[in-house]
Structure formats: C-alpha cells, structure tokens
Amino acid sequence: MPVDTSATGKTYPPHEYEVGREKIREYALAVGEDNPVYFEREAARAAGFRDVAAPPMFAVVYSSGAVTPVFFDPDVGIDFTLLVHGGQEFVWGEAVCSGDTIATAVEIKDITEKGGMGFYVFESVSRNQDGAEVVRGTWTNIVRGA
Amino acid sequence: MSMEAGDSIPELKVTPDRYLPHRYAGASGDFNPIHIDKEFATEAGLPSNILHGLYSMALVARANMAAAGGDPRSLKRLSVQFRGMGAPEQEITVTGEVKSAEGGRVVVDTVAKQSGKAIIKNAEAELEL
C-alpha cells in the first residue's frame, strides 16, 4: 500500500507540561544520572540554575504529551505494529528547571516512502513560560512494509 | 577541560537490571508492552522485552556530558540512529571519539554497543566547553 503523505505540514497546538522536582528525580534515577543539580535545590542554585535542573534528555518526558497524539492521528495513519523509532535529534536551548511550564508544539515535517518503508519525520519545539526555546526535537519514525 | 580531535571520551559501562525497563517506563510514560512484557515481546518475535531506545540515548547523553565535566548545559545537540535492539541484563558500552574541536565547540562521534553489536550508531553530540 503506498504511503499517504497528505499530512505533511500538519501542525498541532502546543501541549503544556509543568516540570516537578520529584519527576526529575524519578527520571534521573531511571537513567542513572547522579549529578546533585538534578536532586538538590541548593546544589542546583549554587551551579546557577533557578531550581532543580532537568537532565537534557528529560525532553522526552515533557514532549511526549505533544508527540504521542501524532502517532494516533488517523490523518497520519501510522500502523503501530510496523513502527520503529529510527532516529532522534535534540537541540537544546535554555535549561529546564523544576517549576517551569513547557509548551511543546509539533509539526509533521516530512512523510516519504523509500524502499517500501514509510519515513515519518516530526519536529517538536518546546518553549518555557518566558517564551525561550528549551529544545527542538526531530523524531524519525519508520513504518516497515508500508 | 580540553578536548582535541581524535581524543576518546571516557567509556561508560552500564548493565540495566531486569526491572530497569519498568522504571524507565514509569519515568518516561512509555508503557509499550514490548519494553515491559517478556511474553508479549516474544510473541511479537523478539528475543525478550527490549530496552527503550530513548533510554539508551540517555546513556549516550550521560557519557558525553561526563566527558565535558558533567554540566548538563554543556550538551547542545545530540543526534542518534537506533539500530538493533537493546536487552536488559546485558552490559552496554558507550564509547566516543572527538571529531572536531573549534572555539569551545566539540563534536563527538559516539556509539553504544551491547554484546559487540551497535544499539545506537552515528550518534553525534555537540558540546560547549
């Protein structure tokens, strides 16, 4: 079945996520981070952060509420059983700290077919409560046998 | 902290325990059963439940930040390709080599392997020192 590329360029409204200190702790422990700036307010402030800092890859946590619905969007039409996460890029800006509210908007940048596989590229842009960009994510998903 | 083209970054070795995918699922919100349900995964044709790719990417981020002195603000960009599948209870080794170092901006080529096979390749990290 040919890949339906008609959703290319579709945008999704921003999804808000409020960053909490205990969620940062849970995430940092799961990925084995031990820098005190992720756990202790005093250490974070001494290092120049407003509050407990989020590890850069915490971007996954505050972006997921914006990115996940795209996978389920019938306009995009991804078959989950054939889906593989092919690649991921993050470009970081302003640091994210506990207490921040991060709004993430997603756009479908590209849908193409190559060698019988569908390539779906989503871009997410996350901004903090001051409007500063904190991360830009490029999510490349491959649907086998499309 | 000085990093020159051709330098290796300190190797990171991690063996995720049997329940790590469950903790990462809770931390990240990704409860896809191929990561946390061995029976489901084997029925889907996988050897076991598999690690989340973004968990392995977080280890690549860790190795690069550690090489830059540990400050999370040092990591400016990380781009990876997921290859193969990571499994719990097997050691992951993250290695990297500095590709370029100019004006405080360092680009590191990184790879994460398990049992000699790449689970993350073509990983490129940009660090600001």
Side-chain angles (χ1 to χ4, degrees):
Chain A
M1 198 173 71
V3 174
D4 180 358
T5 62
S6 62
T8 306
K10 183 169 179 179
T11 57
Y12 298 81
H15 173 269
E16 280 196 359
Y17 180 95
E18 195 175 320
V19 180
R21 178 184 176 185
E22 297 302 337
K23 189 67 189 179
I24 292 175
R25 173 191 298 276
E26 180 189 7
Y27 178 85
L29 288 172
V31 298
E33 294 280 7
D34 59 6
N35 189 330
V37 300
Y38 306 137
F39 300 96
E40 297 163 20
R41 193 162 277 147
E42 290 313 310
R45 288 194 172 143
F49 295 101
R50 292 183 299 285
D51 205 324
V52 167
M57 285 296 294
F58 189 80
V60 167
V61 179
Y62 57 74
S63 301
S64 75
V67 175
T68 304
V70 184
F71 289 102
F72 291 99
D73 182 352
D75 286 353
V76 182
I78 286 179
D79 181 346
F80 246 99
T81 61
L82 300 174
L83 178 68
V84 180
H85 194 173
Q88 182 69 46
E89 179 180 68
F90 287 116
V91 178
W92 286 278
E94 191 75 16
V96 171
C97 298
S98 174
D100 285 357
T101 298
I102 307 298
T104 301
V106 177
E107 180 181 353
I108 299 178
K109 291 300 270 190
D110 195 35
I111 303 176
T112 48
E113 187 175 341
K114 263 186 278 183
M117 296 192 290
F119 289 76
Y120 296 77
V121 181
F122 309 155
E123 184 181 76
S124 63
V125 178
S126 303
R127 295 181 185 280
N128 68 15
Q129 60 283 354
D130 301 322
E133 188 170 309
V134 296
V135 83
R136 187 170 289 252
T138 305
W139 314 65
T140 303
N141 302 287
I142 303 172
V143 176
R144 296 165 290 157
Chain B
M1 178 79 39
S2 155
M3 294 170 84
E4 307 289 338
D7 285 356
S8 292
I9 65 166
E11 197 172 77
L12 174 67
K13 286 179 182 285
V14 176
T15 303
D17 67 62
R18 182 175 182 177
Y19 301 108
L20 182 279
H22 301 75
R23 292 197 301 282
Y24 184 82
S28 69
D30 180 351
F31 287 91
N32 186 328
I34 61 171
H35 301 304
I36 54 175
D37 185 337
K38 198 166 186 170
E39 203 171 300
F40 180 94
T42 49
E43 276 171 22
L46 299 167
S48 77
N49 57 314
I50 60 171
L51 297 175
H52 295 75
L54 290 167
Y55 165 76
S56 305
M57 184 177 178
L59 299 184
V60 171
R62 252 179 78 186
N64 279 288
M65 286 187 287
D71 189 327
R73 290 163 292 199
S74 61
L75 184 62
K76 295 298 175 193
R77 182 173 68 85
L78 181 59
S79 170
V80 308
Q81 288 180 354
F82 300 109
R83 286 295 178 277
M85 286 167 195
E89 300 185 279
Q90 290 176 41
E91 187 175 66
I92 298 170
T93 307
V94 183
T95 55
E97 186 178 305
V98 177
K99 195 158 93 174
S100 65
E102 280 167 31
R105 283 262 167 173
V106 175
V107 176
V108 183
D109 275 333
T110 320
V111 62
K113 288 187 176 176
Q114 206 174 34
S115 308
K117 279 171 56 185
I119 56 172
I120 287 190
K121 68 172 211 175
N122 296 335
E124 195 176 89
E126 200 171 318
L127 304 169
E128 194 176 79
L129 301 185

